[in-house]
Amino acid sequence: MTSKSNDNGRALEFSIVDYFQRNHPNTILSKNTLDDQKRDSIKFQNLSQDLKNRFRIAAKKFFIWYQSLNTNQKIIKIDRLRDSSGVVQDVEINGINFSIKHNHYALKHPRPYSLAKQCGFNSSSTEDITHRNDMKVVADAYRRNLNGIKKYNEDQQLLSQLYKNINQVCKNSIDKWCKQNPLIAVNFFNFIVGINFYKVIVSETDEVNVEIQDFLNIPKPQNLICGFDPQRSNYLNFSFNHNWIIDLRLHTASSTINTNPENQLSLKFDAQKISGSVKTYNI
């Protein structure tokens, strides 16, 4: 996520919380939320007037929808969750979790090195150590062929081969773990999709559109198939047996290559739902 889109996302969160605070007489903000609101008020003020107005409209629509579901709440407690918490959700309102998105539908942005943990294995488990070692073999080979370049985009052919090798390692790990552990599918699905929250997506055409997706009661899968087409070198495809399909697009998280072999390469996935049933409200 770019700095601008990240700032806009935080400004949208600010706008929603601010609207609750201004329009519900008994809104209580946690200390984290008070700190975040103070920090992000500047981001909101730096928006164009048009985007400020759109975020205010979206906040009002969301507030009215929330009130229609919870008509008798005399006190509203709001907690904005930190990115470091590792959860999908951004805001918790009276125990209900919401993921707030501006103009994008991405599920999550996981790191390929942490795949074993994402599948439910403990940090420093045999599976975690083996996977990270396999990743290091690929990273070391990439660094040996840099020939003095400092940025990933200076050699697209080398970068494409890196993507292909990293995705092959991830597929090999997933395939092996699925044969050994029947919980891999549900563990990875719960991580990549998230559970027990609503996703609020604010998008813009001529009007301000607010789409709310219900991730509270999605059925859980029993198995998955990990697909990898070398012609799409930076994509992994996950097909779950309950008709969910998710693409993971591998890309760099930094423009500069860390040449220290003791450090990880800066890589992450962008997870997108290709198919899968979710109850949706357009407000």
Side-chain angles (χ1 to χ4, degrees), residues 5 19 25 52 60 65 73 80 92 111 115 123 125 140 143 158 162 164 170 174-175 177 195 227 235 244 246 258:
S5 62
Y19 195 91
K52 285 181 189 176
K60 180 179 180 180
W65 175 82
Q73 293 185 342
R80 287 183 62 183
E92 180 184 314
R111 303 279 177 161
L115 185 63
S123 177
S125 62
D140 288 347
R143 288 185 172 110
L158 190 62
L162 172 66
K164 185 182 296 186
C170 290
I174 287 283
D175 288 348
W177 299 335
I195 55 175
Y235 280 86
W244 269 69
I246 296 172
N258 188 323

Side-chain angles (χ1 to χ4, degrees), residues 1-197:
M1 183 180 295
T2 65
S3 177
K4 181 178 180 180
S5 62
N6 184 65
D7 286 351
N8 286 353
R10 292 186 186 278
L12 177 58
E13 292 174 35
F14 166 86
S15 183
I16 288 172
V17 174
D18 185 65
Y19 195 91
F20 270 78
Q21 199 172 19
R22 292 176 184 275
N23 291 277
H24 193 284
N26 295 307
T27 298
I28 300 173
L29 307 185
S30 68
K31 183 182 183 305
N32 278 350
T33 306
L34 288 169
D35 293 341
D36 287 354
Q37 289 298 102
K38 182 178 179 181
R39 177 197 67 196
D40 294 337
S41 65
I42 300 171
K43 295 180 175 64
F44 182 80
Q45 293 304 321
N46 287 337
L47 299 176
S48 68
Q49 190 58 50
D50 177 64
L51 197 52
K52 285 181 189 176
N53 292 338
R54 287 176 173 273
F55 280 5
R56 290 187 182 112
I57 291 170
K60 180 179 180 180
K61 285 186 173 186
F62 174 72
F63 178 80
I64 292 171
W65 175 82
Y66 178 86
Q67 290 285 79
S68 73
L69 293 183
N70 304 276
T71 56
N72 297 316
Q73 293 185 342
K74 296 181 179 179
I75 297 176
I76 291 182
K77 296 181 179 180
I78 300 180
D79 188 18
R80 287 183 62 183
L81 306 175
R82 298 290 172 86
D83 290 346
S84 58
S85 65
V87 297
V88 175
Q89 306 87 273
D90 300 301
V91 179
E92 180 184 314
I93 305 175
N94 278 8
I96 302 175
N97 294 312
F98 298 92
S99 173
I100 312 296
K101 302 294 183 185
H102 177 233
N103 278 338
H104 76 93
Y105 287 74
L107 295 170
K108 218 168 190 180
H109 305 279
R111 303 279 177 161
Y113 284 88
S114 301
L115 185 63
K117 294 175 65 177
Q118 295 156 18
C119 289
F121 295 108
N122 292 329
S123 177
S124 298
S125 62
T126 299
E127 291 81 3
D128 185 53
I129 292 171
T130 300
H131 178 72
R132 290 177 186 275
N133 285 341
D134 292 343
M135 291 284 293
K136 188 176 187 306
V137 170
V138 171
D140 288 347
Y142 175 74
R143 288 185 172 110
R144 284 196 299 270
N145 288 289
L146 290 177
N147 293 321
I149 67 171
K150 302 295 184 182
K151 296 184 180 298
Y152 289 101
N153 63 6
E154 291 183 65
D155 190 328
Q156 290 295 332
Q157 184 175 354
L158 190 62
L159 181 60
S160 179
Q161 187 63 49
L162 172 66
Y163 288 155
K164 185 182 296 186
N165 292 342
I166 291 292
N167 277 336
Q168 189 64 61
V169 166
C170 290
K171 173 177 167 52
N172 291 346
S173 293
I174 287 283
D175 288 348
K176 180 172 62 177
W177 299 335
C178 283
K179 291 178 182 178
Q180 299 170 349
N181 189 329
L183 296 178
I184 296 302
V186 68
N187 287 344
F188 187 68
F189 183 83
N190 285 349
F191 170 81
I192 209 73
V193 174
I195 55 175
N196 299 325
F197 70 99

Side-chain angles (χ1 to χ4, degrees), residues 226-241:
C226 179
F228 172 51
D229 179 357
Q231 300 303 313
R232 299 174 75 219
S233 63
N234 61 326
Y235 280 86
L236 284 177
N237 178 267
F238 288 81
S239 297
F240 297 87
N241 70 304

